[in-house]
Amino acid sequence: MATKRLARQLGLIRRKSVTPASGNPGGSRFRQLYDYLIVVDFESTCWNDGKHHSSPEIIEFPAVLLNTATGEIESEFHAYVQPQEHPILSEFCTELTGIKQVQVDEGVPLKICLSQFCKWIHKLQQQKKISFATGDSEPSTPEVKPCAFVTWSDWDLGVCLEYECKRKQLLKPVFLNSWIDLRATYKLFYNRKPKGLSGALQEVGIEFSGREHSGLDDSRNTALLAWKMIRDGCLMKITRSLNKGTGFCEYVGKFPG
């Protein structure tokens, strides 16, 4: 009962969809707290040889901007990243992700990638007036469009990027410290455990588009799932925050590139 009360307070208990079967953009019963969602899904170095390896390094850094009123993906960011601790990809990693050695060789170090990503965010702030609120209570205005990050599980921002930045002594933008875990949100909202991203999509009648374990394709499909959940009445809320702080991209000038 306590779990149900908490889920109800978070707006995660499933409500009957008010969207016709044919689809009605913006037909969700609830006004979303965020005008935009930015979905990220990293790919990283990986092995299956049974040996102990150091922590993974990001090799693909994608992000897609979802408009929560229309369901449209309005902008995308994508970069391949050079792994520096283990610069040679394993055969398993290449087969799983489809990322070739030449793509990471021609990519950029994570420090440069973060700089490029921050500049993309800064451009969105200027063009679309997005802002990263420190909580869920700040209203949308014509001058401010609240935005939140979305991941499939806490791994991308809570583990992979967090610890790689610490190991390499990189300054991580504070707006990446809070996010919506869509897998946890899905589980509470639909009251069932998803069988991976592809399985979750299938359960709501959406076929995975593209290649699984391609970071950009995974991000696009996660955005599709988020839009479906919004249409079904799910109110998107922050599920994890590493610390409190401002959300604006004040680090643009602090990275080289």
Side-chain angles (χ1 to χ4, degrees):
M1 291 300 292
T3 301
K4 286 187 176 180
R5 283 196 299 271
L6 176 61
R8 189 173 292 109
Q9 290 171 1
L10 291 174
L12 297 175
I13 291 293
R14 188 180 184 184
R15 299 166 173 88
K16 184 178 179 181
S17 173
V18 296
T19 305
S22 59
N24 177 23
S28 170
R29 179 186 301 177
F30 304 99
R31 172 162 178 79
Q32 291 295 313
L33 298 171
Y34 300 101
D35 293 295
Y36 287 99
L37 300 175
I38 297 178
V39 182
V40 297
D41 194 299
F42 304 138
E43 297 303 323
S44 70
T45 52
C46 52
W47 302 264
N48 71 337
D49 56 10
K51 298 179 181 179
H52 176 74
H53 294 275
S54 63
S55 299
E57 294 175 274
I58 294 170
I59 56 175
E60 184 183 7
F61 194 126
V64 300
L65 179 73
L66 175 71
N67 185 316
T68 61
T70 66
E72 294 295 321
I73 292 177
E74 296 188 1
S75 184
E76 294 183 341
F77 173 87
H78 184 261
Y80 288 111
V81 185
Q82 291 176 359
Q84 297 174 309
E85 296 165 344
H86 291 277
I88 305 301
L89 301 182
S90 69
E91 182 179 348
F92 171 74
C93 184
T94 297
E95 291 177 355
L96 179 69
T97 65
I99 299 172
K100 298 178 175 58
Q101 184 66 45
V102 65
Q103 291 175 301
V104 296
D105 288 344
E106 295 176 353
V108 296
L110 180 60
K111 187 174 184 178
I112 304 298
C113 179
L114 285 171
S115 171
Q116 295 172 347
F117 179 69
C118 241
K119 289 174 182 177
W120 178 71
I121 291 291
H122 187 61
K123 185 177 180 180
L124 293 179
Q125 288 176 327
Q126 292 180 320
Q127 294 180 346
K128 300 183 182 295
K129 310 301 181 185
I130 69 167
S131 69
F132 299 97
T134 57
D136 287 328
S137 60
E138 297 171 18
S140 172
T141 70
E143 294 77 28
V144 177
K145 302 295 181 183
C147 182
F149 284 91
V150 174
T151 61
W152 182 255
S153 86
D154 288 331
W155 180 84
D156 298 86
L157 296 178
V159 178
C160 187
L161 181 64
E162 175 74 5
Y163 288 105
E164 186 172 354
C165 284
K166 286 182 177 179
R167 291 197 314 274
K168 296 180 177 180
Q169 297 184 325
L170 302 179
L171 184 62
K172 187 183 73 171
V174 293
F175 56 74
L176 290 173
N177 281 343
S178 299
W179 63 89
I180 299 166
D181 175 357
L182 198 67
R183 184 175 69 177
T185 303
Y186 178 100
K187 183 178 179 181
L188 282 170
F189 182 66
Y190 291 114
N191 195 28
R192 59 176 180 259
K193 185 177 180 180
K195 298 177 181 178
L197 175 59
S198 181
L201 287 162
Q202 290 178 0
E203 288 175 345
V204 295
I206 301 174
E207 184 177 352
F208 189 98
S209 177
R211 178 192 173 108
E212 292 187 53
H213 301 295
S214 156
L216 186 56
D217 286 342
D218 283 352
S219 297
R220 290 168 175 167
N221 282 275
T222 302
L224 284 176
L225 180 59
W227 172 236
K228 169 61 176 172
M229 293 171 64
I230 288 170
R231 291 172 63 204
D232 281 352
C234 182
L235 184 64
M236 295 291 169
K237 286 194 171 188
I238 296 294
T239 60
R240 182 77 187 275
S241 184
L242 297 179
N243 64 272
K244 293 182 179 180
T246 59
F248 293 94
C249 193
E250 64 265 51
Y251 297 104
V252 170
K254 297 186 180 180
F255 292 102

